[in-house]
Amino acid sequence: MPASASTDPGEVSDLDLVKRSQAGDTRAFDVLVTRYRGRIYAMTYHLIQNETEAWDLAQEAFIKAWRALPSFKHDAGFYTWLYRIAHNVSYDWLRKKKIQGDGEFDDERTEHRVAAGAEATPRGDLAPDAALRNAELGQRIQEAIAKLSPEHRQVIVLREVEGLAYEEIAALIPCSLGTVMSRLFYARKKLQEQLHDVYETSN
Amino acid sequence: MKHPTEEHDLIRWIDGEMNETERTTFEERLKQDPALATEARQMRALSSSLRTHLPAEMRVPHEDFFNTQIQVRIAQMAQDDARAKQASSSWGDILQWMRQPWFALAGTAALAVLGFFMLSPATGDASESMILSSYTPNTNVQARTYHDNGAEATVLMLDGLDAVPAERKVSGINIQRSEVEPELASTTMYDHKGTAVLMISRDALGNPMLTPRG
């Protein structure tokens, strides 16, 4: 699972801050918010792909964490626990948006028609990072991720951003290991398809 | 479309999830299958690009406001809990009036009416102000408030409000103190100059009644 931020010598530990927060010390909780807001916001942003919504959801995650603090047992790291809350808040939001059917997520309908080795596969020895400036490629990647379904976006973020092992992803979602691998495969195929012109340009 | 096992092998190879034996076997297979080798190489390049361009930590926009809002909401939750325990007070009765549908001041407009009550009127210190109650005629609108020490102002946030034309005037009533008259079942509210600006009472039928003063 995601590891806690390394603390500098002399810096108050998560454990101490959590204990003080559980006793009602809102200043201690504010330190925890400051310590982890950047990582939680990055996760919600990558999942939601909307700055305002990601900001609100990150905040909602911290509020839920505050409410749930009395039940926090210290058997997992605070960040791991907080990350689960933030992930669930964000993913619930994504599912509701999908149910509302605004047509944004379209890859579920095409998942099984993307043939391996078809046009989605870039040709030759390509170096997209060298072909486009980093900022441009970064923008293209963000746009491509925004078009993924919630399920595919979720596994990409958990694997590529957070570096979670398959077992950890399966436990967090939750689903089987096979589902994790299948989703990762099709999510990457879909991204390759979305970024096809980038690879072509650099060829 | 590949067999699921082939997809999984490819993914596990890209992610370094294979043991040594599995990896050696798969790489032998790649040598025999140029198309698969190309696909594997390109998918690994994509994965590398994703890790480069998706930072695990980002600067939060308006980060101080982000923290402040969390503190405000925590304080509001504590206040709500405390208020729930005092539901039988006379103030509670009055505030219940303000939650009734009849209290819609502007009809369709989603204006919020806030009662500001100073904890310490003598000091006039805005940082000690406390929002006792808020009411929005439009139930789709949620009113939240917090005190911004830097601006020395109480900020009203209205979530769910339709776009408000810039020329529309929005005003509120800044109540500094109030006096309850039990015999008349009324409450008179005063502004910072000590002028009575509003009285809440009941009419002959027992319905709540707001009477502007001054």
Side-chain angles (χ1 to χ4, degrees):
Chain A
M1 290 299 291
S4 299
S6 57
T7 53
D8 297 331
E11 194 175 54
V12 182
S13 71
D14 281 3
L15 183 60
D16 286 344
L17 290 169
V18 168
K19 285 180 176 175
R20 283 167 50 190
S21 299
Q22 286 177 318
D25 184 345
T26 55
R27 291 294 162 202
F29 189 68
D30 192 53
V31 175
L32 288 168
V33 172
T34 301
R35 186 172 290 175
Y36 292 117
R37 65 188 176 195
R39 294 176 70 180
I40 294 299
Y41 173 71
M43 188 266 277
T44 58
Y45 179 80
H46 294 318
L47 274 176
I48 304 302
Q49 294 290 310
N50 177 292
E51 190 175 281
T52 304
E53 298 288 0
W55 196 91
D56 285 346
L57 289 170
Q59 200 170 74
E60 194 60 35
F62 280 108
I63 296 293
K64 280 183 179 287
W66 169 263
R67 284 176 173 153
L69 266 178
S71 63
F72 179 64
K73 302 296 185 187
H74 305 283
D75 51 356
F78 173 74
Y79 178 68
T80 301
W81 180 74
L82 173 65
Y83 184 90
R84 283 180 182 277
I85 293 173
H87 170 269
N88 291 339
V89 166
S90 303
Y91 193 63
D92 284 347
W93 185 92
L94 274 176
R95 278 191 299 201
K96 284 178 186 171
K97 188 173 174 66
K98 185 181 178 184
I99 290 170
Q100 287 167 1
D102 60 5
E104 181 182 358
F105 311 117
D106 62 353
D107 63 348
E108 289 296 84
R109 293 192 291 273
T110 59
E111 175 174 303
H112 298 294
R113 67 172 173 76
V114 179
E119 283 193 350
T121 304
R123 292 170 299 200
D125 293 324
L126 306 180
D129 288 314
L132 290 174
R133 287 183 297 166
N134 277 353
E136 291 172 342
L137 181 56
Q139 180 62 32
R140 291 298 312 280
I141 287 173
Q142 294 286 0
E143 290 170 0
I145 287 176
K147 292 179 180 175
L148 293 179
S149 69
E151 291 80 9
H152 286 171
R153 202 183 294 182
Q154 180 185 39
V155 292
I156 286 294
V157 170
L158 294 176
R159 178 66 200 181
E160 306 290 17
V161 179
E162 297 295 336
L164 267 58
Y166 295 164
E167 291 82 359
E168 292 172 326
I169 296 173
L172 185 63
I173 288 179
C175 65
S176 69
L177 273 179
T179 300
V180 170
M181 288 187 275
S182 291
R183 286 184 181 177
L184 267 175
F185 176 81
Y186 284 107
R188 285 167 171 160
K189 291 295 291 182
K190 186 69 182 178
L191 288 173
Q192 280 188 322
E193 188 180 47
Q194 295 290 331
L195 297 167
H196 178 54
D197 64 307
V198 174
Y199 285 90
E200 269 195 341
T201 303
S202 63
N203 191 11
Chain B
M1 182 176 159
K2 288 179 169 17
H3 187 278
T5 304
E6 293 180 335
E7 297 168 1
H8 296 177
D9 284 348
L10 181 55
I11 288 298
R12 292 174 65 232
W13 178 77
I14 290 168
D15 289 332
E17 294 278 346
M18 285 181 160
N19 62 35
E20 188 63 27
T21 304
E22 290 173 324
R23 189 171 63 81
T24 301
T25 302
F26 186 76
E27 289 179 353
E28 281 299 320
R29 194 173 142 205
L30 291 180
K31 290 176 184 174
Q32 307 300 320
D33 188 341
L36 180 62
T38 299
E39 182 178 14
R41 188 168 61 251
Q42 299 305 335
M43 197 173 274
R44 189 162 62 177
L46 170 71
S47 182
S48 176
S49 292
L50 292 175
R51 284 193 292 272
T52 301
H53 291 284
L54 298 177
E57 186 164 1
M58 295 170 68
R59 186 179 179 86
V60 179
H62 315 294
E63 54 193 14
D64 288 342
F65 183 57
F66 182 88
N67 281 43
T68 302
Q69 276 291 89
I70 290 172
Q71 292 291 319
V72 166
R73 289 180 63 184
I74 288 173
Q76 285 177 335
M77 286 188 292
Q79 205 173 50
D80 289 344
D81 290 344
R83 194 180 300 152
K85 295 174 183 175
Q86 300 173 346
S88 61
S89 70
S90 59
W91 268 113
D93 292 341
I94 293 170
L95 296 176
Q96 282 301 313
W97 293 1
M98 301 178 82
R99 296 189 178 93
Q100 299 303 311
W102 62 266
F103 199 71
L105 292 180
T108 57
L111 295 178
V113 176
L114 296 175
F116 296 83
F117 301 93
M118 302 297 289
L119 284 177
S120 177
T123 64
D125 184 350
S127 67
E128 295 183 48
S129 67
M130 180 172 70
I131 311 302
L132 287 182
S133 179
S134 64
Y135 166 77
T136 55
N138 184 339
T139 55
N140 294 322
V141 176
Q142 285 193 323
R144 290 180 291 148
T145 59
Y146 72 96
H147 185 79
D148 188 316
N149 288 324
E152 295 184 350
T154 299
V155 179
L156 166 63
M157 307 281 289
L158 296 175
D159 292 332
L161 190 67
D162 290 337
V164 177
E167 64 273 17
R168 176 174 293 174
K169 292 182 179 178
V170 177
S171 61
I173 303 170
N174 190 344
I175 304 298
Q176 293 290 308
R177 67 184 181 86
S178 60
E179 290 181 358
V180 178
E181 298 174 56
E183 292 182 0
L184 299 175
S186 69
T187 299
T188 305
M189 299 180 178
Y190 298 86
D191 65 11
H192 65 289
K193 295 177 181 175
T195 305
V197 292
L198 188 69
M199 185 174 77
I200 301 177
S201 60
R202 291 180 184 274
D203 62 18
L205 298 175
N207 295 317
M209 182 170 63
L210 289 176
T211 309
R213 313 288 288 186

